Each structure stands twice: as structure tokens, then as C-alpha cells.
Amino acid sequence: MIIDTSGPPVLPAKQVADFKPSLLLGEHSLCPGCGEPVALRILLEVLQELDIVQRTIGVVGHGCYGSFVRIMDVDVLQCLHGRAPACATGIKRVRPGVAVFTLQGDGDMANEGLQEVLHAAARGENITCVMLNNGVFGDTGGQQTATTVLGQRTKTSIDGRDPDVHGYPIPVADLVASLQGSAYVARGAVSTAAGVLQAKRMLRKAFQTQLDGGGFSLVEILTMCPTGWFVPTAEGPSYQQGTMEQTYGIGELVTR
């Protein structure tokens, strides 16, 4: 059937689904154009679709996304900077029947607690870790992190990240994927509608891996931060595609 799109539809539009998951209790307070609220939404949608909301515990680190604890109707523990995988390990071992996930930024996971996620993966802990990677410490003003890509400007690399001065970016998902305890590792992005759908599928697979007792799973999601990148809000997605997505390949790295 051919649909004529040259004019408005003959039949009026109707709402066929809720505009947001019921686990979202309010509006976020993050900057316009931020990609983290998009990642939160698909995470909550996955929990609902898998019907595990009532037996899920999240562990949140420190960053802009820390404000999400006020608007997500999920049991959440906030821990010390970088220590979410360790806290999640303890929760999972005490309550093995609960789905446990961590939600961290790149500053939290890569700068403050890289050893935590690596050791959790090496041990094959049956938890799911989610890293929201925008390449900056957004919560404290936009400083460089361990994942800032070469040439990217931040408040502590005004002329762009220089490998001779700042070293090279750390690909967290790739490091985790190299460890035998990792059962599912993927990297997605929310800069396009197709990317959002793909990232959601990755999250679903990660949680399903945990529910099946498969072992450690991690999903790294590249998220926009136009404020920290010094770019106009509308240019956030295209900037991400031309910088971070050129450095960090999108796709599944480990599926066991």
C-alpha cells in the first residue's frame, strides 16, 4: 500500500502507547541536548519489558546522572565515586535472585574506578554495568576524562586532547571484552533514532545474560554533552558522530 505523504493524514492521529515509561516519575534537570536521559529511558523500558522491576536493584555512581535517583521508580543505592561494581558485587552475592545493575559515567567508571569494573569482569560477576560515555566530567564543569578522544576540547584540554601531553583515550568496553569473565559486552550510541533502538537491544541482551546466569555484562553508551563540548545544542549528535563514534566502534564486542 502506498501512503500519500504530500498532505496531512485523512484520519486524525491517535496515541497508541504512553509517551514515557511509568518508571519515570518526573522531568530531568540536565542540560538541553544531553544524551543521558535518553539512555535512562531505554534502560527503564528494558526493565519493564523483562518484567523484573520488582526484583531489580541499581547502583549509581557520581555524575550528572546522579540526579536520576529522584525520578526513577527503581530501588537504587548510591555509592562512593567509582565503586559501583564492587557494591553491585556485594548485593548480587547476598541476593543472587535479584537483577543488579550499575549506572556510571566515564569519569566515574574510567577515571575513578577502572580497577573496579575490570576486576568485576575478571571474576565473572553476574551483574550488568552501564557506562554513559560523553568524554567529559560533566558534573564538575566539563574537564577531560580518560575517555576524551584525541583533539577533543575540554576545560582541561582547551586546545584539544594531545597524546603527548594527556596520553591516549581508554576504550573501557574493549578492555572489559578482553577478559574471560565477560559474557556480554557492547557499545551503543544515542545520537540517532536507529542508535537508540540498537542501544536498547544491547541493554536487553545484557540483562538477559544476567538473568540466564551467564556472567558479567557491560554496555557502554555514547551520550551527547553539548555543554561540555562547547558546541550548540542542536549540533551535539553530529559532533558525537564525528568524534567519539569515530574512536569508539559501535557494536557487540562479546556474546557468549
Side-chain angles (χ1 to χ4, degrees):
M1 181 178 68
I2 299 176
I3 300 176
D4 182 8
T5 60
S6 61
V10 177
L11 297 176
K14 62 179 180 179
Q15 183 176 335
V16 297
D18 291 334
F19 286 115
K20 65 179 182 179
S22 60
L23 295 180
L24 272 178
L25 302 179
E27 299 296 329
H28 68 83
S29 58
L30 303 188
C31 301
C34 179
E36 293 186 351
V38 180
L40 173 66
R41 176 183 177 128
I42 59 176
L43 171 61
L44 296 180
E45 288 176 347
V46 166
L47 296 181
Q48 286 187 304
E49 291 171 7
L50 291 175
D51 195 23
I52 57 174
V53 177
Q54 299 303 318
R55 58 187 182 100
T56 295
I57 298 177
V59 185
V60 179
H62 287 265
C64 295
Y65 58 91
S67 63
F68 289 160
V69 299
R70 299 183 292 104
I71 62 171
M72 52 191 290
D73 192 12
V74 178
D75 288 335
V76 176
L77 167 71
Q78 189 159 24
C79 66
L80 294 175
H81 221 335
R83 304 302 181 258
C87 290
T89 294
I91 295 172
K92 187 68 176 185
R93 291 192 178 190
V94 172
R95 300 192 61 187
V98 171
V100 182
F101 73 91
T102 72
L103 186 64
Q104 300 171 263
D106 49 298
D108 187 28
M109 182 180 283
N111 283 70
E112 302 289 345
L114 182 59
Q115 74 283 1
E116 301 289 353
V117 70
L118 292 181
H119 284 288
R123 294 192 304 268
E125 300 291 348
N126 195 35
I127 60 176
T128 299
C129 291
V130 179
M131 182 175 83
L132 308 178
N133 184 6
N134 55 27
V136 294
F137 276 106
D139 195 35
T140 53
Q143 298 87 350
Q144 175 183 285
T145 71
T147 67
T148 302
V149 300
L150 298 182
Q152 185 176 344
R153 297 178 63 235
T154 72
K155 288 205 175 160
T156 48
S157 59
I158 296 298
D159 295 323
R161 181 169 190 163
D162 182 347
D164 294 331
V165 177
H166 309 110
Y168 289 89
I170 297 177
V172 175
D174 299 81
L175 293 180
V176 171
S178 70
L179 301 174
Q180 292 184 353
S182 298
Y184 182 81
V185 181
R187 181 185 291 117
V190 293
S191 57
T192 66
V196 172
L197 180 59
Q198 182 185 39
K200 182 178 177 179
R201 290 172 177 164
M202 292 173 175
L203 288 171
R204 187 182 181 94
K205 286 186 178 181
F207 276 100
Q208 191 62 58
T209 297
Q210 180 182 168
L211 296 175
D212 293 341
F216 185 84
S217 56
L218 176 138
V219 178
E220 176 182 335
I221 302 178
L222 304 182
T223 59
M224 295 79 70
C225 182
T227 300
W229 295 341
F230 309 106
V231 300
T233 299
E235 295 179 14
S238 59
Y239 179 86
Q240 177 175 293
Q241 293 163 25
T243 55
M244 299 193 69
E245 293 180 32
Q246 297 302 310
T247 298
Y248 301 114
I250 304 301
E252 295 178 322
L253 284 73
V254 173
T255 54
R256 293 196 178 113

